[in-house]
Amino acid sequence: LSEYGKLRRSSSSGNDSQTSNSLLRLLRVPKRWFRHFYACGIFYGLSVLGVKIYSGYGSMDDWTRLVALLMLLFQVTRRCMETCFISVFSNSTMHVGHYMLGLTFYLFTTLTIGFEPLQNVQETSQVSVASFFQEFCWYQYGGVVLFAWVNYHQHLSACILAGLRKSCGDREKYAIPHGDWFDFVSFPHYLQEILIYTALYLVVGTGSWILFLQLSFVFLNQTLCALQSQHWYMTVMGCSPAKYCIIPLIL
């Protein structure tokens, strides 16, 4: 499930006779279908946002969810636009299980932000907009700032990766990326994904156990992808973009 794109082609190059006999390994979809994750994420977010607005809001709990939902909507909308108009996908594929996991992940993330009872936010007390900003904790403001900063750099990462293929005119060719966070870690887009969900967790106020589990999943998934990609770079290209894989000075 974790192998897609260049990792899939590398692992299957010597095992075509074995994979041809496995129905599960034949269930693959184009990697460019990644954009479906974000398109569905927009639909999920707008639907939940509409339900919350229709049912009324005004408590600290409601305002907190509203901010987090708008942040998530911004994230998936930006990624949808990038995958549609900036990213240059090869003809590689991913497992249909990976595809379904991505669709359900954004559904459960949206439902968690919209409806999970928060442990550290009072639901009943009505607050004005001014009171909400006064009661918003420092680490929640930090989450908003972190979210905006990392979104900007993740967009730069997407542009850098797309530029590598646009410059050579070959969507099947891989090259070593440089610039921005690529000068510090090999796969900043994976690190940025982790930081984005960390920011969402901070804004919700660390009161969501389910969102914490989802953040843990994102961390493990993105770290695994980074380690596999680092191994691919070292094996196929003989070097990696940066000294560290995904976390500066640590990994």
Side-chain angles (χ1 to χ4, degrees):
L1 284 178
S2 64
E3 293 180 348
Y4 61 90
K6 59 182 178 293
L7 299 177
R8 165 65 184 171
R9 286 192 279 185
S10 176
S11 66
S12 62
S13 58
N15 300 307
D16 291 337
S17 61
Q18 298 178 14
T19 57
S20 62
N21 297 322
S22 173
L23 177 61
L24 291 178
R25 290 181 179 271
L26 291 176
L27 296 175
R28 309 199 67 81
V29 297
K31 183 186 173 185
R32 66 178 63 91
W33 284 14
F34 259 86
R35 61 178 64 118
H36 296 174
F37 299 164
Y38 310 116
C40 288
I42 295 173
F43 172 75
Y44 301 149
L46 290 175
S47 299
V48 172
L49 186 62
V51 170
K52 299 299 290 184
I53 293 176
Y54 179 79
S55 60
Y57 61 93
S59 68
M60 191 67 188
D61 175 273
D62 293 330
W63 286 112
T64 301
R65 294 179 192 277
L66 179 62
V67 170
L69 280 172
L70 290 175
M71 289 169 62
L72 182 61
L73 265 173
F74 177 85
Q75 159 72 3
V76 294
T77 301
R78 177 185 62 80
R79 290 293 295 132
C80 186
M81 298 295 288
E82 288 173 353
T83 53
C84 288
F85 302 109
I86 296 178
S87 299
V88 180
F89 290 101
S90 67
N91 293 320
S92 57
T93 61
M94 60 179 165
H95 195 283
V96 69
H98 188 149
Y99 178 70
M100 296 304 298
L101 179 63
L103 295 178
T104 55
F105 174 80
Y106 284 99
L107 172 61
F108 282 109
T109 300
T110 307
L111 291 176
T112 296
I113 293 175
F115 300 108
E116 184 198 4
L118 303 181
Q119 303 299 318
N120 59 345
V121 178
Q122 293 185 5
E123 299 186 27
T124 56
S125 58
Q126 299 292 308
V127 296
S128 64
V129 176
S131 297
F132 165 72
F133 285 112
Q134 290 177 353
E135 294 185 32
F136 215 49
C137 298
W138 64 268
Y139 57 81
Q140 291 175 301
Y141 278 111
V144 174
V145 173
L146 175 65
F147 181 85
W149 179 60
V150 175
N151 262 273
Y152 169 72
H153 285 283
Q154 193 178 53
H155 174 69
L156 290 183
S157 296
C159 292
I160 290 172
L161 291 173
L164 293 176
R165 285 177 174 168
K166 290 178 180 178
S167 62
C168 67
D170 185 357
R171 66 175 57 245
E172 301 297 328
K173 184 176 181 180
Y174 291 91
I176 301 293
H178 298 286
D180 201 52
W181 287 18
F182 283 102
D183 295 335
F184 305 100
V185 293
S186 296
F187 307 100
H189 44 304
Y190 295 147
L191 171 61
Q192 289 152 359
E193 195 75 5
I194 295 171
L195 292 176
I196 284 171
Y197 282 92
T198 300
L200 280 172
Y201 181 66
L202 290 174
V203 169
V204 171
T206 68
S208 170
W209 286 103
I210 298 179
L211 193 60
F212 175 76
L213 293 177
Q214 291 170 323
L215 171 60
S216 301
F217 168 78
V218 170
F219 176 81
L220 293 174
N221 178 61
Q222 298 300 300
T223 301
L224 175 61
C225 289
L227 292 173
Q228 289 178 317
S229 297
Q230 183 89 332
H231 176 74
W232 182 89
Y233 269 108
M234 296 302 297
T235 302
V236 176
M237 308 193 74
C239 62
S240 60
K243 178 179 179 180
Y244 297 99
C245 178
I246 185 172
I247 304 176
L249 304 178
I250 298 177
L251 181 64

